[in-house]
Amino acid sequence: AQSVAQPEDQVNVAEGNPLTVKCTYSVSGNPYLFWYVQYPNRGLQFLLKYITGDNLVKGSYGFEAEFNKSQTSFHLKKPSALVSDSALYFCAVRPLTGGGNKLTFGTGTQLKVEL
Amino acid sequence: GAVVSQHPSRVICKSGTSVKIECRSLDFQATTMFWYRQFPKKSLMLMATSNEGSKATYEQGVEKDKFLINHASLTLSTLTVTSAHPEDSSFYICSARPGQGTNQPQHFGDGTRLSIL
């Protein structure tokens, strides 16, 4: 069975500082990893994905994520946070091959960026 | 591109009412759509996978007769909550995946806030 852990319910960052939102995963075989962002009363917006290739993946709005196979992690990062980045962030995983279409989501991390 | 429209965005109705939620892929065809339920400050729970032209695949513990899913075309899936009760109140979100390949990300609608009085 696949699973995702987002160990922090909330992350607080000052605007302009770098941010990291942590994610670790467990899946059979190679993973297909995603980050999504959710604003209040909205659906999820796709930020970025990792399939294969370069471990550092760049996505929307200046976000990037680093895949680390040995640590089974896929932490989301941004060099300089904005107040408008405040939202709920979800990491998700599914097997790259097999395992059907189902994505497994983490419990979400609330990011709060303050002035 | 890859826009998913979900309607209505909010529904308030009396207990016992049936409620239909629509999920449309506006600029792509989706053979597979997904229906999720999200509780406050909680992750998304996959309810069912909707397959165009065939029966939906429900997750364990989700009542098929309670949550009726119809995926009649490549751009539309509907979820009907039958005889809704207060415990069905939740945020329901659909998603769709473009193309036939499984390496495309899912794109989500904006969700439907269902409140049963």
Side-chain angles (χ1 to χ4, degrees), chain B:
Chain B
V3 177
V4 175
S5 173
Q6 190 172 336
H7 179 80
S9 58
R10 187 174 184 93
V11 180
I12 302 173
C13 58
K14 293 181 180 179
S15 184
T17 306
S18 292
V19 178
K20 180 186 281 189
I21 303 169
E22 292 186 348
C23 181
R24 294 181 184 274
S25 55
L26 296 185
D27 51 0
F28 65 96
Q29 293 185 331
T31 55
T32 305
M33 292 185 174
F34 304 87
W35 287 96
Y36 295 85
R37 183 171 177 175
Q38 186 179 29
F39 295 95
K41 298 185 178 180
K42 295 288 185 183
S43 186
L44 280 72
M45 181 193 80
L46 179 65
M47 298 174 65
T49 302
S50 170
N51 302 297
E52 188 268 334
S54 64
K55 291 183 179 180
T57 304
Y58 289 82
E59 295 301 299
Q60 191 173 6
V62 178
E63 297 177 58
K64 299 178 183 180
D65 296 332
K66 175 75 172 176
F67 299 99
L68 300 178
I69 291 173
N70 187 323
H71 193 157
S73 77
L74 286 171
T75 58
L76 174 64
S77 176
T78 61
L79 168 68
T80 301
V81 183
T82 61
S83 187
H85 291 283
E87 59 266 27
D88 299 322
S89 298
S90 193
F91 193 54
Y92 293 86
I93 309 176
C94 73
S95 72
R97 193 179 59 226
Q100 297 289 338
T102 58
N103 285 342
Q104 296 288 334
Q106 292 180 27
H107 294 273
F108 289 79
D110 275 344
T112 298
R113 175 76 58 192
L114 178 61
S115 300
I116 308 299
L117 304 177

Side-chain angles (χ1 to χ4, degrees), chain A residues 84-96:
Chain A
S84 57
D85 293 329
S86 299
L88 185 58
Y89 290 81
F90 289 100
C91 180
V93 71
R94 68 171 179 82
L96 187 56

Side-chain angles (χ1 to χ4, degrees), chain A residues 30-80:
Chain A
N30 292 319
Y32 187 17
L33 291 154
F34 301 83
W35 275 101
Y36 286 88
V37 59
Q38 185 181 32
Y39 295 95
N41 295 310
R42 301 292 297 275
L44 277 65
Q45 293 180 32
F46 169 73
L47 278 181
L48 51 81
K49 66 180 179 182
Y50 172 83
I51 306 176
T52 60
D54 194 348
N55 288 344
L56 185 64
V57 179
K58 294 189 183 297
S60 306
Y61 312 119
F63 283 93
E64 57 190 27
E66 185 166 13
F67 171 65
N68 187 316
K69 188 172 184 177
S70 63
Q71 297 184 4
T72 61
S73 67
F74 189 55
H75 301 331
L76 181 70
K77 300 181 180 184
K78 187 173 182 180
S80 178

Side-chain angles (χ1 to χ4, degrees), chain A residues 12-19 79-83 111-115:
Chain A
N12 296 323
V13 177
E15 188 174 53
N17 283 2
L19 69 88
S80 178
L82 299 171
V83 172
L111 174 65
K112 189 173 182 181
V113 182
E114 298 168 311
L115 290 170

